């Protein structure tokens, strides 16, 4: 039951990404290219997603717990730190170079296009490299002085 | 550079579906719908049940374009106006960035901003700015 529902939720996300244009790097890059071949469509993707999520979350989070899990797992940190800002800045540089973000690329992988697979392999390599750096930093900071 | 048509209605509808998926995942599993978190949880699973729902979400995502093909008779357009080198370099930087930044367009940009999380708002403003600057430099300064 959990798995079927999770699959269907992923499917709704994947269909949304597909018809919105987020799976299409040409469209994504044109959104940011105000000085060139500008296509403002992505503002509508963000707008539609934010309206539905903001209203939906408000209703859902009034409940005591989710339907199929013990509790809501919400990030509680509110402080801004260097990894958050530097990481997000780097993400933007990569997004601007390749035109895919993770949420756009994963559904796009379903089209079977080799360019998407190349991007996703590089993405996974980046994630695993960053995890190694993170755990090395943690080991160093938790080691006795 | 490839020109693309302005598609306000499709993009709004697609965006609403992305939001619906985020709301449903919170209602059912109590989790944030972030591509980064889902991918990271598949790569480094805490336990089997934690791994399996994320793998199911990922399979659903991959089925999205195929569902579109069934309904419309066409796969969604994927036009790649950049070289393989740029895909590899961009993909690697995105992977590093979303791991340290703990989220991407879906987790921070949609779910976090909808919750008015200060970290997500700061992250989203940061990556929107650096993406725009990068596209400007790549297209109009370097001229790729």
């Amino acid at each position: 039951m959990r798995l079927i529902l999770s699959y269907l939720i992923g499917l709704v996300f994947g269909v949304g990404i597909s018809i919105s244009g987020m799976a299409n790097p040409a469209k994504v890059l044109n959104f940011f290219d105000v000085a060139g071949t500008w296509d403002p469509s992505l503002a509508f993707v963000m707008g539609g997603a934010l309206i539905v999520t903001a209203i939906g979350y408000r209703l859902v989070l009034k409940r005591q717990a989710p339907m199929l899990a013990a509790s809501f797992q919400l990030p509680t940190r509110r402080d801004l730190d260097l990894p958050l800002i530097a990481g997000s800045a780097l993400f933007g540089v990569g997004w601007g170079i390749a035109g895919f973000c993770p949420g756009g690329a994963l559904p796009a992988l379903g089209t079977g296009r080799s360019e998407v697979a190349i991007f996703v392999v590089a993405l996974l390599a980046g994630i695993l490299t960053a995890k190694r750096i993170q755990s090395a930093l943690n080991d160093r900071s938790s080691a006795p002085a | 550079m490839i020109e693309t048509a302005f598609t306000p209605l499709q993009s709004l509808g697609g965006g609403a579906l992305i939001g619906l998926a985020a709301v449903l995942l919170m209602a059912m599993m109590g989790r944030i719908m972030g591509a980064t978190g889902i991918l990271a949880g598949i790569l480094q699973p805490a336990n089997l049940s934690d791994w399996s729902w994320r793998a199911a979400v990922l399979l659903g995502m991959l089925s999205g374009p195929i569902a579109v093909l069934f309904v419309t008779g066409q796969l969604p357009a994927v036009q790649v106006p950049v070289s393989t080198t740029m895909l590899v370099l961009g993909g690697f930087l995105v992977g590093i960035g979303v791991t340290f930044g703990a989220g991407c367009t879906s987790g921070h940009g949609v779910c976090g901003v909808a919750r008015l999380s200060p970290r997500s708002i700061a992250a989203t403003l940061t990556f929107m700015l650096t993406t725009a600057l990068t596209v400007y430099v790549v297209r109009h300064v370097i001229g790729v």
Side-chain angles (χ1 to χ4, degrees):
Chain A
M1 183 66 181
R2 259 165 52 110
L3 293 186
I4 294 170
L5 278 170
S6 297
Y7 174 82
L8 291 175
I9 291 169
L11 181 64
V12 171
F13 184 88
V15 169
I17 290 285
S18 298
I19 56 183
S20 70
M22 289 295 292
N24 187 355
K27 212 166 166 60
V28 171
L29 292 172
N30 281 346
F31 173 70
F32 291 101
D33 193 10
V34 182
T37 49
W38 192 45
D39 174 358
S41 304
L42 290 206
F44 289 75
V45 183
M46 285 301 271
L50 276 175
I51 291 168
V52 172
T53 309
I55 296 171
Y57 269 13
R58 200 142 293 191
L59 299 174
V60 165
L61 293 172
K62 276 186 186 155
R63 301 172 57 96
Q64 289 295 310
M67 290 172 196
L68 301 174
S71 61
F72 292 111
Q73 311 255 328
L74 297 171
T76 50
R77 286 181 61 179
R78 299 176 67 82
D79 61 306
L80 307 183
D81 59 359
L82 182 65
L84 176 79
I85 301 301
S88 298
L90 210 54
F91 160 46
V93 173
W95 195 18
I97 291 173
F100 282 114
C101 61
L106 294 179
L109 207 49
T111 62
R113 293 278 298 267
S114 61
E115 298 99 318
V116 193
I118 291 168
F119 173 85
V120 172
V121 169
L123 169 71
L124 294 176
I127 293 176
L128 291 172
T129 304
K131 295 243 177 228
R132 286 201 161 191
I133 298 172
Q134 275 180 333
S135 62
L137 291 174
N138 280 339
D139 286 351
R140 206 196 300 171
S141 63
S142 62
Chain B
M1 278 173 247
I2 303 171
E3 295 226 17
T4 52
F6 177 46
T7 55
L9 286 180
Q10 268 163 278
S11 290
L12 191 67
L17 285 180
I18 296 167
L20 177 65
V23 174
L24 289 174
L25 191 68
M26 186 60 73
M28 299 294 164
M29 308 293 297
R31 296 291 188 143
I32 296 280
M33 183 92 204
T36 298
I38 286 172
L39 210 48
I42 291 173
L43 288 174
Q44 294 189 326
N47 55 58
L48 181 64
S49 90
D50 225 39
W51 183 85
S52 57
W53 72 263
R54 288 194 174 93
V57 171
L58 177 64
L59 272 183
M61 287 182 182
L62 296 177
S63 312
I66 297 152
V68 170
L69 173 66
F70 267 107
V71 175
T72 67
Q74 277 183 322
L75 279 171
V78 178
Q79 300 158 285
V80 182
V82 304
S83 65
T84 304
T85 310
M86 289 167 76
L87 284 174
V88 171
L89 176 65
F92 190 74
L93 291 177
V94 169
I96 300 261
V98 297
T99 305
F100 280 102
C104 55
T105 332
S106 44
H108 281 313
V110 175
C111 299
V113 172
R115 293 171 57 231
L116 300 177
S117 151
R119 281 172 61 84
S120 290
I121 292 170
T124 305
L125 291 174
T126 304
F127 67 66
M128 294 303 274
L129 181 72
T130 56
T131 309
L133 285 174
T134 305
V135 170
Y136 185 82
V137 169
V138 168
R139 288 193 169 181
H140 301 288
V141 179
I142 306 174
V144 175

